[in-house]
Amino acid sequence: MRTLRSGPAAAAVTVTLWASAFVAIRSAGAHYSPGALALGRLLAGALVLGVICAARREGLPPRSAWPGIAVSGVLWFGVYMVVLNWGEQQVDAGTAALVVNIGPILVALLSARFLGDPLPPRLLAGMAVSFAGAVDVGLSLSGEGRASVLGVGLCLIAAVGYACGVVAQKPALAHASALQVTTFGCLIGAVACLPFTGQLVHDAARAPAEATLGMLYLGVFPTALAFTTWAYALARTTASRMGATTYAVPALVVLMSWAALDEVPGPVTLGGGVLCLAGVAVARSRPRNAVKSAPAPATSQK
């Protein structure tokens, strides 16, 4: 019972911190180039995770976990972060949210194909409701004249990188702990972003302290902590169900922007946020008889 409850709690921490990342990126991204921001974020995250790993004496993941860690590290920690940062400079936040939110749908399709995950009606219905909410939020936040073919293409690449990274990460969690998978995935992503070292040094020398602190925040909380809680929750459910959980992010972004940036959302935006949350609730729900008959989780799961 404790494991059944801890998984959703970890997922809630993840989506809350990932939502806060959108607010932080808006500040730091004005002073750091896309590659530099991604590299600085990943270096901060890898440092924090490395210290925790050493303190816990986690050691290296087993060989069987490395393929999934490597793929998720390059595509999700590396490509996704750089491309999304770049894409959000080409299109407005609403358009970016619209395109990136095809990610959970891709996760469901890829996990069904490669992991054998089921696609129950509740999951499909919940994703449909959440995607409709994401469309409402995106359209209500979209500005005029800022969308570009390049920006939309970059956000599409980001969505594909996210989906492939999640599907690759899931099998690795059967062989390594959530902390190991996250730590070494983050480290691989940082290595992949090392070509941006010169830009990071250049931008850091000129950026205000607030922007640099924002970049460090992105590394410690939305990366080190949130990706670890994500992996912890992913190890306890299907990739499809976890992907649907991220539809709560647009709703939380609206609330955080309202509180932190004094951006008052309109009725359409609020309605879209409610749809996002409702869809997540439906997608993650299970029939009562299925819950009663569910087997007890293995105690050896890390």
Side-chain angles (χ1 to χ4, degrees):
M1 181 64 68
R2 182 180 178 183
T3 299
L4 292 175
R5 292 177 178 175
S6 60
V13 171
T14 296
V15 296
T16 300
L17 290 177
W18 282 355
S20 74
F22 282 87
V23 179
I25 288 173
R26 291 189 61 179
S27 174
H31 303 280
Y32 282 92
S33 62
L37 180 58
L39 177 58
R41 174 180 179 177
L42 289 168
L43 288 176
L47 177 61
V48 172
L49 289 167
V51 170
I52 296 174
C53 254
R56 291 175 56 88
R57 299 182 180 179
E58 288 277 332
L60 294 173
R63 183 178 301 178
S64 53
W66 277 105
I69 292 175
V71 172
S72 63
V74 172
L75 293 182
W76 195 5
F77 287 88
V79 173
Y80 170 82
M81 290 190 183
V82 175
V83 171
L84 181 61
N85 290 344
W86 187 8
E88 287 194 7
Q89 291 184 351
Q90 305 296 318
V91 299
D92 54 75
T95 301
L98 275 176
V99 179
V100 172
N101 268 307
I102 70 168
I105 299 174
L106 295 177
V107 169
L109 296 176
L110 290 174
S111 61
R113 173 65 178 83
F114 295 105
L115 303 179
D117 285 358
L119 294 176
R122 284 173 179 258
L123 175 63
L124 296 176
M127 293 181 71
V129 172
S130 288
F131 186 71
V135 170
D136 285 346
V137 172
L139 291 177
S140 67
L141 296 178
S142 295
E144 296 182 358
R146 290 196 57 196
S148 70
V149 174
L150 174 61
V152 171
L154 290 170
C155 291
L156 179 60
I157 293 173
V160 173
Y162 152 69
C164 292
V166 171
V167 174
Q169 189 184 67
K170 175 63 175 177
L173 291 165
H175 306 283
S177 69
L179 182 57
Q180 287 176 318
V181 170
T182 306
T183 299
F184 290 95
C186 185
L187 182 59
I188 289 173
V191 171
C193 291
L194 284 179
F196 301 108
T197 301
Q199 292 182 8
L200 176 59
V201 173
H202 176 273
D203 293 348
R206 293 163 174 76
E210 181 181 356
T212 300
L213 289 175
M215 180 178 66
L216 295 177
Y217 170 83
L218 288 168
V220 175
F221 294 99
T223 303
L225 177 56
F227 273 84
T228 301
T229 52
W230 164 276
Y232 178 88
L234 180 61
R236 288 155 175 79
T237 187
T238 65
S240 303
R241 196 176 295 275
M242 274 302 294
T245 303
T246 61
Y247 273 123
V249 170
L252 295 176
V253 170
V254 170
L255 295 177
M256 290 180 180
S257 297
W258 190 357
L261 304 176
D262 199 25
E263 296 178 349
V264 180
V268 176
T269 305
L270 287 174
V274 171
L275 281 177
C276 288
L277 295 176
V280 171
V282 172
R284 291 192 62 88
S285 66
R286 297 180 181 179
R288 292 183 179 180
N289 57 349
V291 174
K292 291 179 180 179
S293 61
T299 56
S300 60
Q301 176 68 55
K302 293 184 178 181

